[in-house]
Amino acid sequence: AAGVIQSPRHLIKEKRETATLKCYPIPRHDTVYWYQQGPGQDPQFLISFYEKMQSDKGSIPDRFSAQQFSDYHSELNMSSLELGDSALYFCASSLIKSGQETQYFGPGTRLLVL
Amino acid sequence: GNSVTQMEGPVTLSEEAFLTINCTYTATGYPSLFWYVQYPGEGLQLLLKATKADDKGSNKGFEATYRKETTSFHLEKGSVQVSDSAVYFCALSDNAGNMLTFGGGTRLMVKP
């Protein structure tokens, strides 16, 4: 079965640079979520989209923005990167229209800021 | 707000030992409860879930029962294998489409 796809899998950036992470949800899923997992930490919710509209916002810094496109893929844009942004970024998707709330996670993008 | 508390790890067991990882939660209403597993260098995989009180989720020999009276969702397995070594996260969602709130994760190490 198709899973959530994230790209790139690994990314190295310098401080103050920008990064764009991409997420392709499971086909026909209507909701996308972004989470950040710092080293040795539990995942923290950043932001979510339902049917291309922002549906919930968590601890996402103002330097980050995200959107969901007409084909349902989502991008997380990160600007003015800081060392503390080094983390594993997960995307998850779900199909809440059918009442299923299980979130299925992608493999993550590991971002290292030098 | 919602919160999830798990027992701290690491938990080190010998192969075929019995496993319990405690998880308790605080939430308004009736959340859905999940266990996710993260193998080294990999993403989060759904292990099992329960959506209402007294439901039992089970998968791959793991079980957890949604106990509303004790606000708990403890993970158990009767006989662990080396391949079960991973980090286990308990999580809740208070409504479809809402964010997951995770516990701090428990690292399980199973020795041959």
Side-chain angles (χ1 to χ4, degrees):
Chain A
V4 176
I5 297 171
Q6 292 188 245
S7 69
R9 293 292 309 277
H10 302 273
L11 191 57
I12 300 175
K13 291 286 185 177
E14 303 264 340
K15 273 177 23 178
R16 293 179 288 278
E17 285 190 322
T18 61
T20 297
L21 278 52
K22 296 185 178 182
C23 169
Y24 298 85
I26 292 172
R28 294 183 297 280
H29 277 196
D30 51 25
T31 307
V32 166
Y33 314 78
W34 286 96
Y35 292 84
Q36 177 192 58
Q37 185 181 28
Q41 305 293 312
D42 56 293
Q44 296 293 315
F45 172 72
L46 293 178
I47 195 167
S48 62
F49 294 87
Y50 170 69
E51 288 289 348
K52 293 156 280 184
M53 299 288 291
Q54 182 182 308
S55 55
D56 200 3
K57 198 171 180 180
S59 51
I60 183 169
D62 292 340
R63 299 176 289 108
F64 294 5
S65 65
Q67 57 183 323
Q68 187 178 28
F69 295 85
S70 57
D71 65 351
Y72 289 88
H73 94 272
S74 178
E75 294 185 2
L76 178 66
N77 299 294
M78 311 161 70
S79 62
S80 303
L81 286 169
E82 301 174 356
L83 296 179
D85 295 329
S86 296
L88 195 51
Y89 290 84
F90 287 111
C91 173
S93 73
S94 67
L95 179 61
I96 67 170
K97 249 185 300 203
S98 67
Q100 295 184 27
E101 54 192 301
T102 301
Q103 295 181 26
Y104 296 91
F105 283 75
T109 294
R110 188 172 296 280
L111 172 66
L112 178 61
V113 182
L114 302 176
Chain B
N2 299 334
S3 68
V4 177
T5 302
Q6 299 180 223
M7 61 189 290
E8 287 193 23
V11 173
T12 303
L13 295 173
S14 297
E15 210 165 19
E16 298 184 5
F18 184 85
L19 168 71
T20 299
I21 300 179
N22 290 339
C23 170
T24 57
Y25 67 90
T26 302
T28 53
Y30 302 91
S32 292
L33 302 173
F34 305 84
W35 277 101
Y36 283 86
V37 58
Q38 186 174 31
Y39 296 101
E42 296 187 14
L44 293 162
Q45 297 178 28
L46 177 68
L47 182 59
L48 54 84
K49 68 176 183 179
T51 58
K52 58 183 189 295
D54 300 324
D55 266 3
K56 178 187 282 189
S58 61
N59 185 27
K60 299 180 182 178
F62 290 89
E63 292 183 342
T65 301
Y66 189 142
R67 301 285 188 202
K68 186 156 180 65
E69 63 276 12
T70 54
T71 62
S72 65
F73 193 53
H74 305 321
L75 183 68
E76 297 182 335
K77 186 175 185 182
S79 176
V80 294
Q81 306 299 313
V82 172
S83 57
D84 294 327
S85 298
V87 179
Y88 292 81
F89 289 97
C90 184
L92 72 81
S93 170
D94 59 11
N95 205 355
N98 285 2
M99 57 178 272
L100 284 170
T101 300
F102 287 89
T106 302
R107 181 175 298 277
L108 170 66
M109 297 171 57
V110 181
K111 298 185 175 180

